[in-house]
């Protein structure tokens, strides 16, 4: 968990504990903690571009679906309030994601996603070119044996 998310979570638990105690009485409090990506980060953007070029537009669209059209902070707040939550708060955070070297990671990662069959269906040369393209696109994020990439998220806290 990133330090930003950890701080939000810790603060939320402290507030939750405080709200659950009132004098000699204790209350059960239902709460919600949710993290929603804010943007298409560099890794996902590089993979989408490489999928589009080496596998096809449909595979690229399928892979990017989890990062496209996600609600922004205002929409998340509205959705929380409309769902009946109280004390809805949105906390923008940047998480530093550490990934292994692209050469070994990208194709393994894609094998565990909804585009696995499409990637497996192209030839080995196309898969190698896909991995190479992602590696080149992310060379600015090299850090030791792997990659260090900032990824943005909105953390939502709320009480039921």
């Amino acid at each position: 968990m990133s330090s930003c998310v950890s701080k939000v979570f810790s603060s939320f638990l402290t507030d939750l504990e405080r709200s659950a105690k009132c004098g000699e009485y204790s209350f059960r409090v239902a709460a919600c903690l949710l993290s929603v990506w804010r943007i298409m980060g560099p890794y996902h953007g590089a993979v989408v571009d490489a999928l589009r070029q080496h596998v096809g537009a449909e595979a690229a669209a399928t892979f990017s679906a989890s990062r496209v059209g996600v609600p922004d902070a205002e929409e998340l707040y509205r959705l929380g309030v409309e769902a009946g939550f109280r004390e809805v708060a949105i906390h923008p955070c940047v998480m530093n994601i550490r990934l292994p070297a692209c050469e070994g990671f990208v194709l393994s990662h894609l094998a565990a996603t909804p585009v696995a069959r499409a990637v497996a269906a192209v030839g080995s040369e196309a898969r190698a070119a896909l991995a190479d393209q992602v590696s080149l696109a992310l060379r600015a994020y090299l850090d030791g044996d792997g990659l260090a990439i900032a990824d943005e998220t909105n953390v939502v806290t709320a009480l039921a």
Side-chain angles (χ1 to χ4, degrees):
M1 190 177 319
S2 79
S3 62
C4 178
V5 174
S6 295
K7 288 176 189 172
V8 170
F9 187 62
S10 176
S11 173
F12 181 59
L13 288 179
T14 301
D15 291 345
L16 191 59
E17 208 173 87
R18 197 175 309 121
S19 69
K21 295 176 183 170
C22 181
E24 62 188 72
Y25 302 102
S26 290
F27 302 93
R28 289 193 139 190
V29 178
C32 174
L33 179 71
L34 175 70
S35 177
V36 178
W37 301 116
R38 288 174 54 195
I39 62 167
M40 176 86 66
Y43 172 77
H44 286 84
V47 172
V48 167
D49 291 344
L51 281 168
R52 187 176 296 110
Q53 183 170 344
H54 301 286
V55 181
E58 186 176 335
T62 299
F63 182 79
S64 68
S66 68
R67 297 286 181 119
V68 176
V70 296
D72 62 13
E74 289 177 15
E75 178 75 357
L76 284 170
Y77 179 84
R78 185 188 64 73
L79 290 169
V81 171
E82 285 180 5
F85 287 100
R86 299 176 290 113
E87 298 183 36
V88 176
I90 311 299
H91 311 272
C93 289
V94 175
M95 300 187 313
N96 292 312
I97 308 296
R98 300 219 29 98
L99 298 173
C102 280
E103 296 79 19
F105 176 72
V106 174
L107 295 177
S108 295
H109 173 224
L110 291 174
T113 69
V115 300
R117 283 195 173 136
V119 172
V122 299
S124 60
E125 288 181 13
R127 287 192 302 275
L130 183 152
D132 288 345
Q133 182 176 333
V134 174
S135 292
L136 285 172
L138 297 176
R139 66 185 174 273
Y141 300 95
L142 286 173
D143 185 39
D145 294 356
L147 301 169
I149 301 174
D151 217 346
E152 297 179 31
T153 185
N154 280 319
V155 178
V156 183
T157 58
L159 299 177

